[in-house]
Amino acid sequence: MGSVEGVSYVPLDEADWSLWRAVRLHALVDAPQAFTTSLDDVLSKDTEAYWRGYFPAVGRCFVAQAEQRTLGMARVVVDQQIGPVPMLMSLWVDPAVRGEGVAAHLVWACNDWVQTHLPGQPLRLEVNADNAAAIALYEKLGFVSVTDSTAGEDELTYELRAGTGLSL
């Protein structure tokens, strides 16, 4: 795996909602099949309050940036309605830098947040079953399949257990 020079992995908060909006819309245009929401659905709710809602009470949003350009995004969410396990969500990397280590570092940033704020907790994610590239990345990083009945029919559930995997 390569490495993009000069990339910063920046934690965001609610005040950064417009940056999150811009990168999320770019992601939905680039890779609509990778997300459970569509661009049309998101644009129908396109308000400041909607975008501020992406910043969870427990969790964190991150972007990868280099030279004033946003290269990717990811977030970790702990939502008791989903379950008590921290979830990796919204991972996306600009096609121009895919395969250069940006996604791995965004996952690392999310897992680091989990291990700092919720020590010992695994990091879980759901991925479309037909997204072979994402599945290969997650497995390379040490995620293991734990697919269960909480995932949708077309989704697989993976988990990175505390203290395992995540080779960068």
Side-chain angles (χ1 to χ4, degrees), residues 128-144:
N128 291 333
D130 61 354
N131 192 340
I135 291 167
L137 170 71
Y138 299 138
E139 289 177 348
K140 182 177 182 176
L141 294 176
F143 283 83
V144 295

Side-chain angles (χ1 to χ4, degrees), residues 64 80 87 92 94 109 119 128 131 141 146 150 167:
Q80 295 302 321
M87 297 290 293
W92 173 82
D94 188 298
N128 291 333
N131 192 340
L141 294 176
V146 293
T150 63
S167 345

Side-chain angles (χ1 to χ4, degrees), residues 87-107:
M87 297 290 293
L88 174 67
M89 304 177 90
S90 305
L91 178 63
W92 173 82
V93 173
D94 188 298
V97 294
R98 287 186 187 149
E100 299 295 322
V102 174
H105 283 86
L106 284 164
V107 172

Side-chain angles (χ1 to χ4, degrees), residues 131-166:
N131 192 340
I135 291 167
L137 170 71
Y138 299 138
E139 289 177 348
K140 182 177 182 176
L141 294 176
F143 283 83
V144 295
S145 177
V146 293
T147 298
D148 60 23
S149 61
T150 63
E153 290 179 18
D154 299 327
E155 294 179 331
L156 302 173
T157 303
Y158 278 80
E159 187 171 276
L160 181 66
R161 296 187 176 111
T164 65
L166 209 57

Side-chain angles (χ1 to χ4, degrees), residues 17-167:
W17 69 269
S18 62
L19 173 58
W20 185 261
R21 176 190 181 273
V23 70
R24 177 74 174 169
L25 292 177
H26 187 165
L28 288 168
V29 168
D30 171 63
Q33 73 286 353
F35 300 98
T36 57
T37 58
S38 71
L39 180 62
D40 288 341
D41 182 48
V42 169
L43 289 174
S44 74
K45 305 171 194 171
D46 193 17
T47 65
E48 181 177 336
Y50 172 77
W51 292 106
R52 286 180 179 274
Y54 267 90
F55 297 90
V58 180
R60 196 65 181 222
C61 296
F62 294 90
V63 293
Q65 294 181 316
E67 299 177 6
Q68 305 295 329
R69 187 168 159 233
T70 302
L71 305 174
M73 67 176 183
R75 65 187 181 130
V76 60
V77 176
V78 181
D79 183 341
Q80 295 302 321
Q81 293 178 349
I82 297 171
V85 177
M87 297 290 293
L88 174 67
M89 304 177 90
S90 305
L91 178 63
W92 173 82
V93 173
D94 188 298
V97 294
R98 287 186 187 149
E100 299 295 322
V102 174
H105 283 86
L106 284 164
V107 172
W108 181 87
C110 289
N111 191 58
D112 185 60
W113 184 92
V114 170
Q115 295 313 312
T116 299
H117 297 279
L118 304 164
Q121 286 289 316
L123 178 60
R124 188 172 285 176
L125 61 88
E126 292 178 352
V127 60
N128 291 333
D130 61 354
N131 192 340
I135 291 167
L137 170 71
Y138 299 138
E139 289 177 348
K140 182 177 182 176
L141 294 176
F143 283 83
V144 295
S145 177
V146 293
T147 298
D148 60 23
S149 61
T150 63
E153 290 179 18
D154 299 327
E155 294 179 331
L156 302 173
T157 303
Y158 278 80
E159 187 171 276
L160 181 66
R161 296 187 176 111
T164 65
L166 209 57
S167 345

